[in-house]
Amino acid sequence: MVPSFLSLRLSCLGLWASGLILVLGFLKLIRLLLRRQRLAKAMGNFPGPPTHWLFGHALEIQQTGSLDKVVSWAHQFPYAHPLWFGQFIGFLNIYEPDYAKAVYSRGGRGLLVLEGPKWFQHRKLLTPGFHYDVLKPYVALFAESTRVMLDKWEEKAQEGKSFDIFCDVGHMALNTLMKCTFGRGDTGLGHRDSSYYLAVSDLTLLMQQRLVSFHYHNDFIYWLTPHGRRFLRACQVAHDHTDQVIRERKAALQDEKVRKKIQNRRHLDFLDILLGARDEDDSKLSDADLRAEVDTFMFGGHDTTTSGISWFLYCMALYPEHQHRCREEVREILGDQDSFQWDDLGKMTYLTMCIKESFRLYPPVPQVYRQLSKPVTFVDGRSLPAGSLISMHIYALHRNSAVWPDPEVFDPLRFSTENASKRHPFAFMPFSAGPRNCIGQQFAMSEMKVVTAMCLLHFEFSLDPSRLPIKMLQLVLRSKNGIHLHLKPLGPGSGK
């Protein structure tokens, strides 16, 4: 009798649980359908390419490559068009300067970053950390990491074959950031630091993969998948590493001798600056805020710099006349010096124009996302309500023929002072724009100049026609098959 009663109770509970799951699932579906209806209504005034009934545009983008596909759509639909990943995630995809200005000249919510007062407080606290005086000593650190990479390339170049430069540039960029952020580099990299390297690379790949895989958009489903679990493990590794470094640094700063030694160092690392940051109320960042900012700096500064340097060197290989002119300028600036000084960077006029033109054609971050905190009305009268999702397609903006004549032509003189002054301020956005532009852009440009100048002094770069890069979007612009170049050493005297 008792077992039968228990069995009956369990059956009833099972039915109740099943019923509850069905009801919750039904409510979730209703919410998704209502959300989709609101999104579709908001973007109803913007014509766009036809969508698949289930996948939206995701399937077509995966099959044909999203970057050039969106450029072809941009020719068909001036200003903007809807972009759907599955049926429930929809963005207005924009690639026109006035549309960009309407969204980016004011506040908004970045999909991967802080919002509102907290973001503003952090921005104020961090801005002094990117002052010229703080950045100046980093030039020596940039050069130090670059020399290690160039020595490695010297050995590889002896074989006379092309090789993929992307991984080596990536290691150099991450090593530089470890020095500038935590005050450690190759000499102090233990197992924990190597694990952090791998975790940062893993997370970048997995974030882009999740974005374009519409069935991964639901958190519950994603965390159950192998990719979701791998994402959580990589997050834990990255967070544990940063937490431990913060704890160690805080403990060290309790010792007055150590504190004085750090303060008297030739340069402060990013963590020192964060730990010392105070606002007018003497408020400082919490440990959780410290970790968030360090992680943002590492993620934002590693892959983007890797992409920028690698595609720049590809452009130099593709256009040898510009490579030659940049090298001559750099040689003239260096003169009899053994290494670059901060003041030398401002003299690299032609190199800077070439870097910017490579950013135009191969922006390190080709696409960024934003959620509108307020309604917006665009220059042509069309509008979107608050809460709408925006995709700013920087790659398509930089190839917009209404803004850039002959957009596929590599022409550094587009960035001469005279030509740049005539252009729409939101036509060129490699570091985003407006209040939420990249706080580290001066850091990134300084590193780009030092690294590329040293590369051009040591090697002549040429293409491998059998292994041309295949553009691929993975949060940053990468190549599906790497960036293979031939490197010809220019002799011991050429690099000073």
Side-chain angles (χ1 to χ4, degrees):
M1 182 71 183
V2 175
S4 304
F5 177 70
L6 280 173
S7 177
L8 186 64
R9 288 288 299 272
L10 287 170
S11 297
C12 288
L13 282 171
L15 284 170
W16 271 101
S18 301
L20 185 62
I21 289 168
L22 281 171
V23 168
L24 290 172
F26 181 71
L27 289 172
K28 178 74 173 174
L29 181 62
I30 293 293
R31 281 182 63 196
L32 282 171
L33 289 170
L34 287 171
R35 186 174 177 279
R36 199 231 183 268
Q37 191 178 24
R38 284 197 304 273
L39 278 170
K41 185 181 177 185
M43 293 193 287
N45 291 326
F46 300 89
T51 60
H52 186 276
W53 69 272
L54 178 61
F55 299 109
H57 298 111
L59 207 59
E60 190 171 4
I61 278 173
Q62 284 177 354
Q63 288 171 348
T64 59
S66 66
L67 296 167
D68 292 321
K69 189 68 197 174
V70 170
V71 171
S72 73
W73 285 336
H75 291 315
Q76 287 178 261
F77 309 102
Y79 300 105
H81 68 76
L83 184 64
W84 290 91
F85 294 114
Q87 284 299 307
F88 300 109
I89 302 290
F91 298 86
L92 182 68
N93 196 38
I94 65 176
Y95 33 75
E96 195 277 335
D98 281 316
Y99 265 52
K101 182 181 178 183
V103 174
Y104 283 84
S105 61
R106 57 192 196 148
R109 180 170 171 240
L111 296 187
L112 298 173
V113 293
L114 293 169
E115 56 178 313
K118 192 162 191 176
W119 170 83
F120 183 71
Q121 181 213 16
H122 282 211
R123 182 80 176 208
K124 276 181 72 178
L125 286 171
L126 296 181
T127 298
F130 293 93
H131 189 272
Y132 295 124
D133 290 336
V134 174
L135 296 178
K136 282 179 184 178
Y138 286 167
V139 170
L141 297 181
F142 299 153
E144 192 179 285
S145 294
T146 306
R147 281 190 203 100
V148 174
M149 180 180 74
L150 295 176
D151 289 344
K152 198 185 297 181
W153 283 359
E154 196 80 41
E155 290 179 26
K156 291 185 179 182
Q158 300 306 320
E159 297 177 22
K161 299 175 185 174
S162 72
F163 58 88
D164 179 15
I165 65 166
F166 205 95
C167 290
D168 291 335
V169 173
H171 190 277
M172 180 276 301
L174 199 45
N175 183 251
T176 299
L177 273 181
M178 294 289 275
K179 290 174 183 173
C180 296
T181 306
F182 301 124
R184 65 227 282 165
D186 278 331
T187 53
L189 287 181
H191 171 72
R192 191 158 48 92
D193 297 313
S194 301
S195 300
Y196 185 74
Y197 272 0
L198 295 173
V200 171
S201 301
D202 241 13
L203 287 168
T204 306
L205 173 65
L206 290 165
M207 282 162 72
Q208 178 63 25
Q209 190 182 57
R210 185 181 186 190
L211 187 65
V212 299
S213 305
F214 77 96
H215 54 291
Y216 280 171
H217 292 167
N218 180 277
D219 285 345
F220 180 74
I221 293 172
Y222 185 62
W223 304 134
L224 291 175
T225 66
H227 285 141
R229 291 194 295 274
R230 185 174 150 200
F231 184 92
L232 289 173
R233 283 195 302 271
C235 266
Q236 197 59 52
V237 170
H239 289 165
D240 287 349
H241 176 275
T242 307
D243 284 344
Q244 187 161 343
V245 173
I246 289 169
R247 280 197 303 273
E248 288 170 359
R249 185 64 58 84
K250 278 189 160 182
L253 288 171
Q254 298 302 311
D255 185 315
E256 195 174 337
K257 285 182 182 175
V258 174
R259 189 164 63 249
K260 282 183 179 175
K261 188 178 175 185
I262 287 173
Q263 288 167 349
N264 292 329
R265 268 196 325 221
R266 196 158 157 259
H267 73 276
L268 292 176
D269 58 47
F270 188 58
L271 186 53
D272 294 328
I273 292 159
L274 289 175
L275 286 167
R278 298 281 190 283
D279 63 15
E280 56 268 21
D281 301 323
D282 206 36
S283 298
K284 58 181 182 177
L285 297 172
S286 68
D287 283 0
D289 290 340
L290 281 168
R291 184 179 76 184
E293 293 301 340
V294 166
D295 287 345
T296 300
F297 188 58
M298 292 299 296
F299 281 95
H302 159 231
D303 263 7
T304 50
T305 306
T306 303
S307 175
I309 292 168
S310 300
W311 286 104
F312 170 82
L313 293 175
Y314 167 72
C315 287
M316 292 294 94
L318 192 56
Y319 305 106
E321 67 278 20
H322 297 298
Q323 179 181 169
H324 176 73
R325 190 164 167 185
C326 284
R327 185 178 293 114
E328 288 307 305
E329 178 185 70
V330 169
R331 279 178 174 158
E332 194 175 322
I333 291 166
L334 192 61
D336 296 327
Q337 296 172 188
D338 292 330
S339 57
F340 292 110
Q341 307 302 313
W342 172 262
D343 292 342
D344 294 330
L345 306 188
K347 301 171 189 172
M348 298 178 182
T349 312
Y350 199 76
L351 178 71
T352 303
M353 290 195 293
C354 285
I355 289 172
K356 288 182 177 179
E357 180 67 344
S358 75
F359 277 167
R360 183 186 71 81
L361 284 167
Y362 304 99
V365 183
Q367 190 173 13
V368 292
Y369 302 95
R370 182 66 56 93
Q371 185 171 26
L372 294 179
S373 54
K374 296 175 184 174
V376 62
T377 299
F378 295 107
V379 66
D380 56 4
R382 292 185 288 187
S383 61
L384 280 179
S388 300
L389 300 177
I390 298 285
S391 155
M392 176 68 234
H393 210 284
I394 295 170
Y395 183 89
L397 170 72
H398 288 180
R399 281 173 158 77
N400 186 332
S401 55
V403 183
W404 305 95
D406 300 319
E408 298 296 332
V409 173
F410 186 89
D411 179 11
L413 292 178
R414 297 179 199 272
F415 294 96
S416 68
T417 306
E418 184 186 356
N419 289 333
S421 65
K422 296 173 188 171
R423 203 160 37 241
H424 194 296
F426 285 81
F428 181 62
M429 293 176 58
F431 296 105
S432 190
R436 279 185 178 269
N437 68 345
C438 173
I439 193 173
Q441 60 183 287
Q442 188 64 40
F443 177 95
M445 280 301 291
S446 302
E447 184 179 2
M448 282 278 299
K449 289 179 187 181
V450 173
V451 176
T452 55
M454 289 179 68
C455 288
L456 292 174
L457 283 175
H458 284 79
F459 297 101
E460 185 180 292
F461 295 85
S462 57
L463 295 178
D464 180 345
S466 68
R467 305 179 85 171
L468 296 176
I470 301 165
K471 295 186 295 277
M472 175 177 69
L473 174 58
Q474 255 184 22
L475 287 188
V476 301
L477 184 62
R478 303 174 69 93
S479 169
K480 197 177 287 187
N481 57 336
I483 296 183
H484 287 80
L485 300 177
H486 287 285
L487 274 66
K488 178 186 169 188
L490 290 174
S494 56
K496 296 289 176 188

